[in-house]
Amino acid sequence: MDFVRRAVNPWGEEVLLGLAWNVLWLVVVAGALFVIGHAIFKRKSAGAGGAIGSGTAAGIPDKITRHGGSARLSHWILAASTFSLLITAFVPILGLQFPWVTIHWISGLVFGIYVVYHTIDTIGRGSLASMWLGIRETVESVARAREFFSRGGDPDERTAKWAFENKAFHHVTALAALAVLGTGLLMMFRVDTWFWEANPYLLGIADSTWGLMYVLHGFASVGFVGLLIAHIYFAVRPDNLFLTRSMFKGWITQDEFVEHYDPEKWVVSENGDRMPTPASEEAGVGMGPTPGHQDPE
Amino acid sequence: MGEIRDMMGTFELYQPMELDGALDLLRSHGSDAWILSGGLDTFDWLKDRAKSPSVVVDVGGIAELQGIEVNGDGMRIGAMTRLQELVSHPEVNARYPILANAAGRVATPQIRHQGTLGGNVAQDTRCWYYRSGWPCYRAGGNTCYANAPDALNREHAIFDSNRCVAVTPTDTGPALVALDAQMEIQSVGGTRMVPAENFFIGPSTDITRMTVMEPTDLLTAIHIPGRWAGAMGYFEKVADRGSWDFALGNVASVLDVQNGTIFEARIVIGGAAARPLRLRRVENAIAGRPINEETLEEAGRLAVQNARPLQFNAYKIALTRNLVKRAIREASA
């Protein structure tokens, strides 16, 4: 199986063109296997242990705000732009042809504007450090994973607002996003846009470097397919549906809070508002509730 | 320039005598197969080794693809019908003179005796960067070598370019679009009719193809309805050489003129985009108007709206404007 596409130019030189689209199928199959495997394992381990719902409701309001209006709006804008990017990128490759280029770069711009907004907002709140993945957190996560895979059942599910897995997912997504955005912005110089006319030689980048750029863009793009499969899978899992609903309505109930969260790790005010949280968490880029850990807040 | 070896690579040659056999071969070999019609586009590719199909399906022996049938007020033209037959066919000349004229402006008599109508509409672009084997967008790469400030793009597109700026080289295509022709495409899965206007596609739809045809498709015939039979029409091709050359620009028009007023029109230009472009804005603007200088000026102005010339082809704007004006004036002359 070829992982990259190559061509030979009239001088007999081999030119790197980009990622081979077989890799897309590889990612789709891997994503499907992960989803099936995880679902089977969770079903088998259900009821084998765990301490879900052992918290108290004392002092917890009826509704707890989880995602503010702007966070929800930006999440769905991000979702729309991501779907638009993936559809315009891969549907023509799958054989359904349509004029996709303009929609693709406009979606990419929306995606990029979101990333810039998200970054500035996070820095503005002074909460960049809260997304740091510390050694203790990592060690605890490994221990929980061992417990999970040894079929001892899920450990205590009550967590802080975001867990290690959420942060790891966020960071991998951020890396993929920066890769597609960085390469995509440079690739925009090769097509006519509202801002400039195409000039493939404008940046003086060699064909071989462009080839690497296309490989990186393609690799990050198919990576997004895998990340999206995981994100949607965890969003529609029955045990996570309350979170998905909160991305529409903004809040979770007292029962859901008590069942899934440790009030010492996620501190909420008496009127149900969240205490100040990192903006990065506002975006809701995560896989859903995961085994407990010490939230950096 | 590509490495010209004048010696084709090896391939398996099939010469089916039945249509079903050809369709089976195309289905079996998919994108590895190459359809050989008149061979005038094919042999350039194969000798330059810019394309290396493993299978060539020569459809020249299939009788169903040959000939011109007059049916009712329309016509069915087999895809393998030689261009010269269109030029000399009395019914084609009587009913659709712009098609006969367009076919007569293709290359030379020798080539018109070899070239087919199907091949003329299905041929690939003549962009030399592409045909020389550069790994451009159209060849599956990431660059248009013709769309750069110092590129040689005198012959390239002024309309509808999207990354790739290649133009369609067909002369008969604009005439068929103007005549509302339907392209009969067959595959093992069945037959479908595609309006000529939709048969040709631009790079924003698919940058690697110039028509809607899939690797397993075979263009079997072109059907021309009676709507424009005997109508006023005009075809003109402008090329660097009068003897034979590909079009820098061409135009085909048919007009329905009643009492000196244009009732309905079809105006199509070639050599300006990756596909023959039907100028609907012009057609709508001139409908209901008399043929006079004011109408022609308006038509010429509208024809080049949204044109985006490259470094060396701005002349195509004036060329297109004047061709469209002539296409209306001369059609009614």
Side-chain angles (χ1 to χ4, degrees):
Chain A
M1 178 180 155
D2 292 328
F3 288 94
V4 293
R5 290 176 291 124
R6 298 176 191 277
V8 177
N9 70 19
W11 294 330
E13 299 165 338
E14 197 168 68
V15 180
L16 186 62
L17 295 181
L19 193 74
W21 300 121
N22 297 329
V23 178
L24 172 63
W25 295 113
L26 200 66
V27 169
V28 169
V29 170
L33 289 175
F34 168 78
V35 166
I36 293 167
H38 186 273
I40 291 172
F41 201 83
K42 282 288 276 187
R43 178 176 280 258
K44 282 187 174 177
S45 63
I52 299 171
S54 58
T56 171
I60 305 297
D62 291 340
K63 289 181 180 178
I64 297 94
T65 303
R66 183 173 169 83
H67 303 294
S70 62
R72 279 177 280 145
L73 180 65
S74 62
H75 170 270
W76 292 116
I77 290 172
L78 177 67
S81 64
T82 303
F83 272 109
S84 177
L85 282 165
L86 293 179
I87 288 168
T88 50
F90 294 120
V91 169
I93 290 168
L94 298 177
L96 180 61
Q97 301 296 339
F98 63 96
W100 59 272
V101 176
T102 303
I103 306 171
H104 191 75
W105 69 253
I106 290 173
S107 303
L109 278 188
V110 172
F111 189 96
I113 289 167
Y114 167 79
V115 169
V116 171
Y117 158 78
H118 179 56
T119 306
I120 291 173
D121 190 43
T122 306
I123 293 170
R125 291 168 185 240
S127 52
L128 263 182
S130 66
M131 286 303 281
W132 177 255
L133 275 173
I135 294 175
R136 190 180 66 177
E137 230 179 326
T138 308
V139 170
E140 284 177 357
S141 173
V142 170
R144 284 200 315 277
R146 280 184 177 160
E147 193 177 346
F148 178 77
F149 286 112
S150 67
R151 299 195 180 204
D154 289 336
D156 186 350
E157 285 278 359
R158 292 182 303 136
T159 71
K161 188 177 179 188
W162 301 110
F164 171 89
E165 289 83 349
N166 301 130
K167 290 183 184 179
F169 186 89
H170 171 273
H171 294 336
V172 172
T173 306
L175 273 179
L178 291 176
V180 289
L181 279 173
T183 51
L185 278 173
L186 292 173
M187 288 154 70
M188 274 181 68
F189 286 106
R190 312 192 113 201
V191 298
D192 291 332
T193 68
W194 298 333
F195 316 110
W196 55 71
E197 292 189 353
N199 183 352
Y201 306 127
L202 186 66
L203 302 172
I205 298 172
D207 277 357
S208 54
T209 310
W210 276 116
L212 288 173
M213 217 176 291
Y214 277 86
V215 169
L216 181 59
H217 192 80
F219 184 72
S221 301
V222 297
F224 257 102
V225 173
L227 292 167
L228 195 66
I229 289 171
H231 188 62
I232 292 174
Y233 165 68
F234 283 108
V236 299
R237 276 193 60 81
D239 46 339
N240 286 355
L241 279 178
F242 77 101
L243 275 177
T244 307
R245 190 203 63 219
S246 76
M247 192 47 84
F248 289 98
K249 295 188 173 180
W251 46 263
I252 60 173
T253 65
Q254 183 191 67
D255 290 345
E256 289 161 349
F257 184 89
V258 170
E259 182 179 346
H260 294 280
Y261 299 101
D262 183 341
E264 290 183 4
K265 295 175 182 172
W266 180 9
V267 181
V268 295
S269 64
E270 289 183 1
N271 62 6
D273 290 337
R274 296 158 301 155
M275 299 300 279
T277 54
S280 49
E281 298 179 358
E282 288 279 333
V285 181
M287 296 190 296
T290 44
H293 76 125
Q294 183 58 53
D295 193 284
E297 293 177 282
Chain B
M1 190 61 195
E3 186 179 353
I4 297 178
R5 305 181 193 189
D6 282 338
M7 182 68 81
M8 291 182 282
T10 56
F11 52 79
E12 285 184 77
L13 175 65
Y14 291 91
Q15 295 180 304
M17 302 302 286
E18 305 287 340
L19 182 57
D20 288 345
L23 298 178
D24 279 339
L25 283 166
L26 295 177
R27 184 194 57 176
S28 304
H29 297 284
S31 56
D32 293 332
W34 182 280
I35 299 168
L36 172 63
S37 174
L40 296 161
D41 189 23
T42 299
F43 292 128
D44 278 355
W45 284 117
L46 301 190
K47 286 185 174 181
D48 284 354
R49 301 201 178 191
K51 306 268 187 187
S52 303
S54 58
V55 169
V56 171
V57 180
D58 177 3
V59 295
I62 301 173
E64 296 156 85
L65 303 182
Q66 312 273 355
I68 299 170
E69 296 171 25
V70 177
N71 43 29
D73 55 356
M75 191 174 280
R76 178 190 186 277
I77 304 172
M80 277 296 297
T81 302
R82 307 289 168 180
L83 292 165
Q84 187 58 39
E85 195 176 340
L86 294 173
V87 176
S88 57
H89 197 283
E91 280 297 323
V92 174
N93 277 281
R95 296 182 182 212
Y96 310 113
I98 64 166
L99 179 59
N101 289 343
R105 288 290 286 123
V106 175
T108 63
Q110 192 177 25
I111 289 174
R112 290 195 291 273
H113 276 92
Q114 177 71 20
T116 65
L117 180 59
N120 189 256
V121 295
Q123 66 181 310
D124 215 336
T125 181
R126 292 280 158 177
C127 170
W128 47 68
Y129 293 99
Y130 169 56
R131 293 191 82 100
S132 298
W134 288 96
C136 66
Y137 282 119
R138 193 162 285 281
N142 305 313
T143 303
C144 177
Y145 296 94
N147 188 11
D150 53 353
L152 298 176
N153 47 34
R154 183 172 163 271
E155 290 78 10
H156 289 73
I158 57 171
F159 292 109
D160 283 2
S161 58
N162 186 319
R163 295 169 292 157
C164 169
V165 295
V167 294
T168 174
T170 179
D171 288 321
T172 57
L176 292 172
V177 173
L179 294 170
D180 292 340
Q182 297 274 324
M183 318 301 265
E184 179 186 298
I185 299 171
Q186 292 198 39
S187 66
V188 170
T191 302
R192 67 183 197 275
M193 303 293 286
V194 177
E197 188 180 2
N198 300 337
F199 175 78
F200 301 96
I201 56 177
S204 61
T205 304
D206 189 337
I207 206 163
T208 62
R209 292 189 295 174
M210 305 207 80
T211 70
V212 295
M213 293 216 298
E214 301 286 344
T216 55
D217 287 339
L218 181 65
L219 177 66
T220 48
I222 292 100
H223 297 255
I224 308 179
R227 168 68 182 92
W228 296 103
M232 298 173 173
Y234 183 73
F235 177 85
E236 182 175 348
K237 170 180 176 177
V238 175
D240 276 329
R241 295 184 295 179
S243 54
W244 67 281
D245 209 339
F246 292 99
L248 295 170
N250 56 31
V251 66
S253 68
V254 282
L255 304 181
D256 183 351
V257 180
Q258 299 174 6
N259 301 321
T261 300
I262 299 169
F263 178 71
E264 193 178 0
R266 295 280 187 278
I267 299 171
V268 185
I269 56 171
R275 61 195 174 94
L277 277 186
R278 185 175 160 192
L279 303 178
R280 280 197 162 79
R281 191 182 294 124
V282 176
E283 292 172 6
N284 294 335
I286 64 175
R289 295 177 64 166
I291 299 173
N292 55 29
E293 276 307 308
E294 189 184 341
T295 300
L296 298 180
E297 284 298 324
E298 177 70 356
R301 186 184 66 78
L302 290 172
V304 294
Q305 264 190 354
N306 303 324
R308 295 187 64 185
L310 305 169
Q311 183 75 359
F312 297 114
N313 70 356
Y315 73 95
K316 284 198 176 187
I317 293 179
L319 176 64
T320 301
R321 186 189 299 125
N322 290 328
L323 279 175
V324 167
K325 288 164 69 175
R326 279 213 291 277
I328 299 168
R329 183 194 297 122
E330 299 300 322
S332 59

